[in-house]
Amino acid sequence: MNWTPTLVEERLAEAADTLRRLPEAKVQGHASTWPPYIQESLSAEDATFRRPPPSAAAITRMDEALPWLQQLDQVDAKIVWLRAKGKPWKIVCWNVGLSRATAHRHWMFALCLISWKLNGKRIPKNISLRQILDVRKMQ
């Protein structure tokens, strides 16, 4: 498979969605002392409709994709993950303290780096963000 930044972005978005759909972890050993009829009325009011749990294949793809973020700079990984979760650019920029244009360049740079590594290409040590983005435009 020839990885592109778009495919990497889609896989990370799927991983974020899969992670969101996993069942919640419940603390064992805690019980409510409220009568059952109150518990039922509360659970009916606060019911949130969730999509079905993810498939085993989706969980496997998520497990493959999440380590990709560890290869990135901390700020770049945060930008990529926030975008994978569907956060708007305004929220991303507030979280990382960068302008919209700079955050977008970091995001594209990170996706290109991941796709290069997945394709087995060696990344030159002295390559700049601008050079990687220029190479991507030429492809």
Side-chain angles (χ1 to χ4, degrees):
M1 173 181 226
N2 189 20
W3 288 93
T4 63
T6 305
L7 289 174
V8 170
E9 177 187 6
E10 290 170 359
R11 180 66 65 93
L12 288 168
E14 181 193 23
D17 181 57
T18 300
L19 194 60
R20 184 175 28 247
R21 290 172 44 202
L22 288 174
E24 294 178 23
K26 304 243 178 178
V27 178
Q28 298 292 322
H30 292 280
S32 176
T33 58
W34 291 22
Y37 61 87
I38 293 178
Q39 291 177 25
E40 290 169 7
S41 67
L42 287 176
S43 64
E45 292 171 4
D46 297 337
T48 56
F49 296 102
R50 294 177 57 119
R51 293 177 24 217
S55 67
I59 293 171
T60 301
R61 288 189 301 272
M62 177 193 71
D63 287 340
E64 292 170 355
L66 289 179
W68 299 347
L69 298 174
Q70 295 173 344
Q71 303 172 8
L72 302 173
D73 178 60
Q74 197 171 16
V75 172
D76 292 349
K78 189 171 188 176
I79 292 170
V80 169
W81 186 245
L82 288 171
R83 287 299 296 162
K85 288 173 57 176
K87 299 295 182 190
W89 279 109
K90 187 177 235 180
I91 302 295
V92 172
C93 293
W94 285 344
N95 277 294
V96 296
L98 297 173
S99 71
R100 163 72 169 79
T102 304
H104 186 267
R105 278 193 302 271
H106 279 264
W107 177 67
M108 282 305 307
F109 178 74
L111 293 178
C112 288
L113 281 180
I114 292 170
S115 65
W116 274 31
K117 288 181 181 182
L118 290 175
N119 289 327
K121 294 181 183 175
R122 190 181 66 76
I123 299 169
K125 287 199 180 270
N126 296 331
I127 196 163
S128 70
L129 183 146
R130 172 100 36 218
Q131 290 171 323
I132 284 190
L133 294 179
D134 288 342
V135 168
R136 182 188 169 276
K137 289 177 187 174
M138 290 189 295
Q139 292 178 347

